[in-house]
RNA sequence: GCGCCUGUAGCUCAACUGGAUAGAGCAUCGCCCUUCUAAGGCGGGGGUUGCAGGUUCGACUCCUGCCGGGCGCACCA
C-alpha cells in the first residue's frame, strides 16, 4: 500500500514537471508514513516540505499542486493538505478491504516477501561453552537468534543456523578433571574440591554415570598425589596453578584412554543436554560446529601459516603475536602461547575463515555484550587474510539480568549458582520465555523478573496476544455457517465502522512490518505489532457482535476476524510461540 | 583512562532511523458480564524525553560538552 502511494507521488511529480508547473525533474523517493491520528487520514507524506526548498516554492504551494494532481487517483478517497505542508491520504474503502482477500488467499505465507531471494545467510548464535547447562542468560541469545532466523526466512533468505561448540581448550580440561574428582569422592575417597573447578550438581550426575559404568576402575587414592600439589586459593595459593596441577595429575594417573573417557563423557552429556534443552525451546540448528574439528583438520595451523606468510605475525617473549593493532584493533593479540598452545582466538580465526569459504552472502554472529571487545580483533584477522569483513555482521545482545523479586540471581557457571534455561522453561513455559526475551530491543538491558513472570503470569503480555487468537477461534467454532469469500465485493459497504477500518489498517501494515523488522534485525517490533493488533481486535470484540442474524453482515465480520486470526498466527510463528485455539 | 550499550509517566518499555498533541503495559481511580472466552473493554489522573548548547520549517531521534547506570579492556575460554 505504502509503495503504491510512493509510486503515485512520483508519477504526480513527474506530471507536474512535464506540465512545467514545477522546475526540474523529480528524483528520489517520497517518504510516506502511517498516521497516528485518524483525522489525518491513513497515510501522510512530508514530500512537499522536504522538496519545496530545492525548487524554491513554499511547501504549501507544492503541496497544493500535488494534492490537485493526486485527488483524481483511484487509490484515494481524498487527499488533503495540513499543517506546514503535510499531504494526508485517505484510502478508498475498497482498497482497505482488499487486504482481507490477500490474507485469506496467502494464508500462512501472508506477510512473506522475496527480498532475500537468492541470498544465503549463516547465523551463529548461543555457542555457549559446553561446560554446564545453559542458564537464563543464554536464553536471550537463543530466542533472539531463532526469531531472527525466522524473520530472514520470511523475507526469502536461505538461512543456515550454526552453534559453535568450544570443545577444546583448558576449560574442557577443568571440566573433565572436575568430573573425575567427584568420581573419586563417589568411590569413597576424601579430597577437598578445588575452588576453581566446576561445582554444579550436574557434575555429580556425570560422575555418577562414570561410576556406574566403570565402577572403581579409575580410582586413585588422593593421598598418592595430594602432597605434590601447590596450594589452592583458600590456603593462600593460586587457584589457576592449583587446577592446572590437578589436570596434569588427572592426565598422568588416568592415562590417555582413561582421561579421554572422562573428557568425552563430560562433554557428550552436557552437549546432549544443551541440544535437548534448545530443541524444547524451539531453537534448532543446521549444524553444530566443533572447535576440535578445526584442530583435527589442521585448519588452525593453516591459518597461522597464512598469517605468517603475509607478515601479520611476529614473535615476542616466546609467543606468536598477531599485529592486529595495525588493522584497527587497540593492541596486538597472542595467537600461539609460549607453551606452543594456540589461543582461543586462533581457533576463532580459523572458524571464521571457514565460514567465509562457504560462500554465504552474509554471515551473522550473535554475541553477548561482554564479547564486544572481541569484534575488532576478528575483523582485523579477516582483513589480514584478505577477506571482505563487511560481509560479517556482529550483533550484540545485552545482558539479561535475572531477578527473583528484588534479588538479583547469580549466573556464574563455575560457582554452580545459576538458574538454568531448563528451569525457566518449566516455571514460565517456553512460549512466555520466548516472548519475554525478544520483547525488548536487543541493545537494551533486560531485567527478567521470575516472580513477575510466574506468580502474576496473567499480566504477561503474551497471554494478551494468545487470548485474542483463542477468542477468534472460539467465535469461528460457534458460527454455524461456512465462510463465504464470494461476496468479497460487498465488504466495503459492510465493514464501515471505525474499529473495522482501524483493524484493516493494522492488517495492511503486516507485510511491511516483516520487512522492516528484518532489515533492522529487530524482532521486538513484531512483538509490539502483535500487541497492537490484539488490542484493536479486543476493542472490536467488545464493541461489536459478530454472530448477528444478517448472514451477509455476519459473513463479512467473520472474514475480517479470520484474517486477524491468520495474521496473529503468522506473527506468533515468527516468534516461535504457539497460537492456541482455546485457553 | 579508552571503547561499546544505555538514560523517556511511580515501575518496565515503545515511538515506523528527522514529522503533526511523545504512546503502551503494570500500578492507581471510576465505569462495563441475562449477549460470541472479563486472561477482555471504555474513561480519568500521571511527562521540561538526564542536563546545557547547536543544526532546521520541525529534535526523544542528528552534532558537541557535561552528569548518572551496565559491560569490556588477559600468553582465560
Amino acid at each position: 500500500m505504502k509503495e503504491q502511494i510512493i509510486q503515485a507521488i512520483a508519477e504526480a511529480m513527474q506530471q507536474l514537471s512535464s506540465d512545467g508547473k514545477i522546475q526540474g525533474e523529480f528524483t528520489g523517493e517520497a517518504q510516506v508514513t502511517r498516521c497516528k491520528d485518524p483525522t489525518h487520514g491513513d497515510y501522510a507524506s512530508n514530500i512537499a516540505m522536504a522538496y519545496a526548498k530545492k525548487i524554491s516554492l513554499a511547501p504549501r504551494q507544492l503541496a497544493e499542486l500535488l494534492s490537485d494532481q493526486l485527488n483524481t487517483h483511484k487509490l484515494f478517497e481524498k487527499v488533503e493538505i495540513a499543517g506546514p505542508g503535510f499531504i494526508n491520504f485517505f484510502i478508498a474503502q475498497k482498497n482497505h478491504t482488499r487486504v482481507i482477500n490477500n490474507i485469506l488467499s496467502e494464508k500462512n505465507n501472508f506477510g512473506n516477501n522475496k527480498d532475500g531471494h537468492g541470498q544465503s545467510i549463516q547465523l551463529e548464535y548461543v555457542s555457549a561453552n559446553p561446560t554446564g547447562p545453559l542458564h537464563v542468560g543464554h536464553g536471550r541469545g537463543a530466542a533472539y537468534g531463532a526469531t531472527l532466523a525466522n524473520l530472514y526466512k520470511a523475507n526469502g533468505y536461505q538461512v543456515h543456523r550454526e552453534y559453535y561448540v568450544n570443545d577444546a581448550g583448558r576449560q574442557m580440561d577443568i571440566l573433565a578433571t572436575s568430573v573425575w574428582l567427584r568420581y573419586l569422592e563417589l568411590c569413597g575417597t576424601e579430597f577437598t574440591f578445588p575452588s576453581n573447578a566446576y561445582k554444579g550438581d550436574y557434575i555429580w550426575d556425570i560422575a555418577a554415570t562414570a561410576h556406574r559404568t566403570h565402577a572403581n576402575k579409575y580410582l586413585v587414592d588422593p593421598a598418592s598425589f595430594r602432597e605434590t600439589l601447590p596450594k589452592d586459593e583458600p590456603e593462600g595459593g593460586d587457584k589457576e596453578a592449583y587446577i592446572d596441577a590437578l589436570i596434569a595429575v588427572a592426565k598422568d594417573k588416568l592415562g590417555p584412554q582413561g582421561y579421554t573417557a572422562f573428557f568425552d563423557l563430560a562433554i557428550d552429556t552436557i552437549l546432549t543436554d544443551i541440544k535437548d534443552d534448545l530443541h524444547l525451546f524451539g531453537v534448532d540448528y543446521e549444524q553444530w560446529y566443533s572447535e576440535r574439528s578445526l584442530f583435527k583438520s589442521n585448519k588452525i595451523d593453516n591459518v597461522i601459516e597464512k598469517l605468517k606468510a603475509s607478515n601479520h605475525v611476529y614473535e615476542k617473549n616466546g609467543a606468536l603475536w598477531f599485529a592486529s593493532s595495525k588493522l584497527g584493533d587497540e593492541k596486538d593479540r597472542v595467537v600461539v602461547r609460549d607453551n606452543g598452545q594456540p589461543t582461543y582466538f586462533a581457533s576463532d580465526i580459523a572458524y571464521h575463515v571457514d565460514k567465509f569459504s562457504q560462500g554465504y552472502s552474509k554471515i551473522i554472529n550473535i554475541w553477548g555484550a561482554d564479547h564486544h571487545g572481541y569484534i575488532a580483533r576478528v575483523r582485523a584477522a579477516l582483513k589480514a587474510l584478505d577477506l571482505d569483513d563487511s560481509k560479517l555482521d556482529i550483533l550484540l545482545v545485552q545482558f539479561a539480568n535475572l531477578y527473583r523479586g528484588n534479588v538479583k540471581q547469580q549466573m556464574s557457571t563455575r560457582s554452580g549458582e545459576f538458574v538454568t534455561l531448563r528451569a525457566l522453561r518449566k516455571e514460565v513455559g517456553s512460549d512466555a520465555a520466548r516472548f519475554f526475551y525478544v520483547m525488548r530491543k536487543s541493545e537494551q538491558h533486560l531485567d527478567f523478573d521470575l516472580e513477575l513472570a510466574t506468580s502474576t503470569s496473567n499480566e504477561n503480555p503474551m497471554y494478551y496476544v494468545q487470548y485474542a487468537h483463542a477468542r477468534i477461534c472460539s467465535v469461528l467454532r460457534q458460527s454455524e455457517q461456512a465462510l463465504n469469500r464470494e461476496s468479497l465485493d460487498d465488504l466495503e459497504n459492510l465493514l464501515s465502522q471505525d474499529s473495522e477500518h482501524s483493524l484493516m489498517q493494522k492488517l495492511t501494515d503486516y507485510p511491511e512490518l516483516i520487512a522492516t523488522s528484518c532489515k533492522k534485525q529487530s524482532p521486538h517490533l513484531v512483538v509490539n505489532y502483535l500487541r497492537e493488533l490484539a488490542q484493536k481486535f479486543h476493542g472490536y470484540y467488545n464493541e461489536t457482535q459478530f454472530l448477528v442474524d444478517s448472514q451477509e453482515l455476519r459473513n463479512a465480520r467473520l472474514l475480517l476476524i479470520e484474517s486477524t486470526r491468520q495474521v496473529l498466527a503468522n506473527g506468533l510463528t515468527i516468534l516461535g510461540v504457539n497460537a492456541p485455539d482455546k485457553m
Side-chain angles (χ1 to χ4, degrees), chain A residues 17 74 111 181 203 206 213 253 293 410 436 498 505 519:
Chain A
S17 90
K74 62 175 189 289
L181 292 172
I203 298 290
I206 301 170
T213 317
K253 302 277 183 194
S293 75
Q410 286 302 317
F436 221 95
D498 285 349
Q505 266 192 338
K519 275 182 206 133

Side-chain angles (χ1 to χ4, degrees), chain A residues 111-157:
Chain A
N112 294 358
N113 65 63
K114 300 231 180 343
D115 285 357
H117 181 70
Q119 296 187 63
S120 56
I121 289 185
Q122 201 243 32
L123 189 60
E124 184 214 325
Y125 56 106
V126 186
S127 298
N129 286 352
T131 53
L134 296 176
H135 56 65
V136 292
H138 299 124
R140 190 175 191 188
Y144 180 68
T147 308
L148 204 55
N150 291 342
L151 271 174
Y152 274 114
K153 283 184 197 166
N155 282 270
Y157 293 86

Side-chain angles (χ1 to χ4, degrees), chain A residues 54-206:
Chain A
K54 283 190 192 163
I55 54 173
S56 47
L57 268 179
R60 282 199 68 111
Q61 263 181 297
L62 177 56
E64 270 181 53
L65 288 171
L66 267 172
S67 76
D68 287 348
Q69 193 69 237
L70 287 162
N71 246 318
T72 58
H73 199 290
K74 62 175 189 289
L75 196 55
F76 309 120
E77 166 130 9
K78 60 177 174 178
V79 177
E80 288 181 352
I81 303 165
F86 286 105
I87 304 176
N88 292 336
F89 300 96
F90 294 75
I91 302 294
Q93 172 73 353
K94 183 171 55 187
N95 292 312
H96 272 127
T97 52
R98 188 167 293 160
V99 69
I100 294 179
N101 197 16
N102 293 343
I103 295 169
L104 298 180
S105 308
E106 298 175 34
K107 295 198 164 74
N108 295 338
N109 291 320
F110 179 75
N112 294 358
N113 65 63
K114 300 231 180 343
D115 285 357
H117 181 70
Q119 296 187 63
S120 56
I121 289 185
Q122 201 243 32
L123 189 60
E124 184 214 325
Y125 56 106
V126 186
S127 298
N129 286 352
T131 53
L134 296 176
H135 56 65
V136 292
H138 299 124
R140 190 175 191 188
Y144 180 68
T147 308
L148 204 55
N150 291 342
L151 271 174
Y152 274 114
K153 283 184 197 166
N155 282 270
Y157 293 86
Q158 192 89 49
V159 182
H160 180 90
R161 298 163 298 179
E162 201 159 298
Y163 187 118
Y164 181 55
V165 184
N166 291 118
D167 52 6
R170 182 164 166 268
Q171 293 306 318
M172 289 296 114
D173 285 324
I174 297 179
L175 176 72
T177 304
S178 305
V179 172
W180 181 58
L181 292 172
R182 288 302 192 199
Y183 162 88
L184 292 184
E185 289 187 59
L186 289 176
C187 292
T189 64
E190 275 188 35
F191 187 78
T192 309
F193 204 65
S195 59
N196 204 25
Y198 289 99
K199 295 194 185 71
D201 288 342
Y202 61 95
I203 298 290
W204 281 114
D205 297 340
I206 301 170

Side-chain angles (χ1 to χ4, degrees), chain A residues 352-381:
Chain A
H352 279 84
V353 168
D354 203 51
K355 286 185 182 196
F356 271 76
S357 70
Q358 315 279 323
Y360 295 108
S361 334
K362 190 182 244 194
I363 294 165
I364 301 177
N365 293 348
I366 297 175
W367 288 353
D370 53 337
H371 284 68
H372 81 257
Y374 226 78
I375 298 175
R377 74 189 74 167
V378 169
R379 289 198 184 282

Side-chain angles (χ1 to χ4, degrees), chain A residues 391-448:
Chain A
K391 266 192 183 179
L392 175 69
D393 252 359
I394 299 178
L395 305 179
L396 295 178
V397 177
Q398 294 295 321
F399 268 40
N401 292 316
L402 190 72
Y403 288 84
R404 203 177 279 280
N406 288 325
V407 186
K408 190 172 175 178
Q409 306 289 300
Q410 286 302 317
M411 292 215 281
S412 153
T413 308
R414 194 74 64 87
S415 68
E417 300 165 20
F418 56 89
V419 179
T420 61
L421 179 60
R422 198 177 283 278
L424 176 75
R425 285 193 293 99
K426 279 194 182 140
E427 267 194 68
V428 308
S430 262
D431 282 352
R434 287 285 298 255
F435 198 93
F436 221 95
Y437 273 130
V438 296
M439 209 161 63
R440 310 273 152 74
K441 57 179 167 194
S442 53
E443 311 93 76
Q444 191 87 33
H445 301 119
L446 173 70
D447 288 338
F448 202 128

